[in-house]
Amino acid sequence: MTGLAGEFFDRQRERLRDARKLVQDLARSRREQSTREMDEVWNGLASTLRSNPFVLRWDEQSRRARQNYRLRRYHEHRADALDWFAASAGSPAAVLPVAIFLGDGTAALATQAALEQLLDETGVDVFHREPPVQGSWFRKLWARGRAETAHLTAEQIAAELERKIRIEVFDKAQAQIDHQQATGAAALIASLQGEERACIQVGSLLVIKANGAIVAKNLTQYQLAWLERNQTLLRDPEGLVKGLETLSSQSAVMAELLQRLLSPDRLAPAAPRSTC
């Protein structure tokens, strides 16, 4: 439109500038964050420009491009994971599934960075990251022990992570934590301060924030098998806590019943009846 004069072309140039600004904001968000933030920028800014023909045209063309981008990234991540599993078949290094749920998600990047720092300090590397899920922030990752931790099982690594969290955070006053030089455990808990609800799983380790309290718990094999069948509870910290409490009470009842069934008195042979 360079060189075209008049009120109509001035208005069109202004609309084009607005549309270009929107695209630039989206591109910057795409570089810095994830596709979730891209959609947030779009929903926040485009609503004021719906009458802009340039924005409407771009929206029509880019909607399919955004969908294709997510689909392509998903298949790339999946292919990378399958290649790694195929190449590492029989490897003694422990592989840990990792899940992060944040009810708000404003500190998602800080939480993920702190968790990966904690894993790195424990001798574990994240080798695969699935795309984050929109809405309440949720992301799955996969981690693997390095050469120096190849002799450890997944349960031993989870126990070491729990120990670090308890010693570095729960056993110290919050005022003693230097957030500028914090360990991964301290940085992880600090990143959850603005979250009302959160759940982080690393193998058999659970870090749950519900009702303002943070709990770190290492699951038993029985509890871990139950969680595998109820993966949706990772996005419901309160429901997960209640489910684990119910499971613990049920297992306690079963243990007591089993103890009674196997008690020496039950197993002792019955006295012969008198024939008199």
Side-chain angles (χ1 to χ4, degrees):
M1 296 185 185
T2 303
L4 299 176
E7 182 179 349
F8 172 80
F9 292 108
D10 290 341
R11 186 165 60 253
Q12 296 304 313
R13 274 189 287 269
E14 183 178 354
R15 288 181 168 183
L16 183 58
R17 281 193 297 270
D18 291 340
R20 183 184 295 116
K21 177 63 166 58
L22 172 61
V23 175
Q24 290 171 345
D25 289 340
L26 285 167
R28 183 173 60 253
S29 178
R30 177 174 176 175
R31 289 193 301 270
E32 296 174 353
Q33 307 289 339
S34 66
T35 54
R36 173 182 178 234
E37 280 73 17
M38 290 175 59
D39 288 338
E40 287 180 349
V41 173
W42 170 256
N43 293 329
L45 298 180
S47 59
T48 62
L49 302 173
R50 290 299 182 187
S51 60
N52 189 317
F54 300 105
V55 172
L56 295 176
R57 177 64 175 166
W58 185 83
D59 184 28
E60 178 184 350
Q61 294 178 342
S62 66
R63 184 181 294 111
R64 185 182 300 274
R66 294 200 301 273
Q67 293 172 348
N68 291 339
Y69 171 77
R70 294 192 190 95
L71 187 62
R72 185 174 69 254
R73 293 298 296 162
Y74 167 77
H75 286 296
E76 288 174 355
H77 283 300
R78 185 173 182 273
D80 290 344
L82 293 176
D83 290 343
W84 184 89
F85 279 117
S88 61
S91 172
V95 175
L96 295 90
V98 180
I100 306 173
F101 167 80
L102 302 174
D104 184 6
T106 54
L109 295 180
T111 299
Q112 180 175 318
L115 179 59
E116 294 197 23
Q117 178 188 344
L118 175 58
L119 291 171
D120 177 68
E121 293 169 358
T122 315
V124 179
D125 293 324
V126 174
F127 67 88
H128 173 64
R129 301 169 181 82
E130 295 185 7
V133 178
Q134 298 180 18
S136 296
W137 202 87
F138 181 81
R139 190 170 200 179
K140 281 200 168 186
L141 308 94
W142 292 90
R144 177 192 179 190
R146 293 197 291 263
E148 62 268 26
T149 56
H151 63 287
L152 300 177
T153 65
E155 291 76 12
Q156 290 172 324
I157 293 176
E160 177 63 14
L161 289 169
E162 181 184 21
R163 186 190 69 83
K164 286 179 177 291
I165 290 176
R166 291 189 178 280
I167 291 180
E168 297 296 333
V169 180
F170 294 115
D171 294 342
K172 290 183 179 180
Q174 289 294 309
Q176 296 177 2
I177 298 176
D178 182 356
H179 296 296
Q180 299 300 320
Q181 298 179 350
T183 64
L188 178 62
I189 301 303
S191 71
L192 298 179
Q193 289 180 354
E195 295 286 343
E196 293 293 330
R197 303 161 60 244
C199 180
I200 296 173
Q201 179 193 8
V202 182
S204 59
L205 174 65
L206 275 182
V207 179
I208 303 174
K209 182 171 185 181
N211 301 320
I214 297 177
V215 177
K217 178 177 179 59
N218 217 327
L219 301 181
T220 65
Q221 288 299 316
Y222 178 55
Q223 293 170 328
L224 193 59
W226 172 83
L227 182 58
E228 286 295 323
R229 299 192 301 270
N230 298 273
Q231 284 287 290
T232 55
L233 288 178
L234 288 173
R235 309 187 195 191
D236 180 13
E238 294 84 357
L240 180 55
V241 170
K242 292 179 182 178
L244 288 173
E245 290 175 349
T246 302
L247 193 67
S248 297
S249 62
Q250 290 175 349
S251 60
V253 172
M254 291 299 295
E256 182 181 357
L257 178 60
L258 186 62
Q259 183 178 7
R260 290 179 180 178
L261 290 174
L262 298 179
S263 63
D265 294 339
R266 286 286 292 189
L267 297 178
R273 294 184 180 180
S274 174
T275 58
C276 298

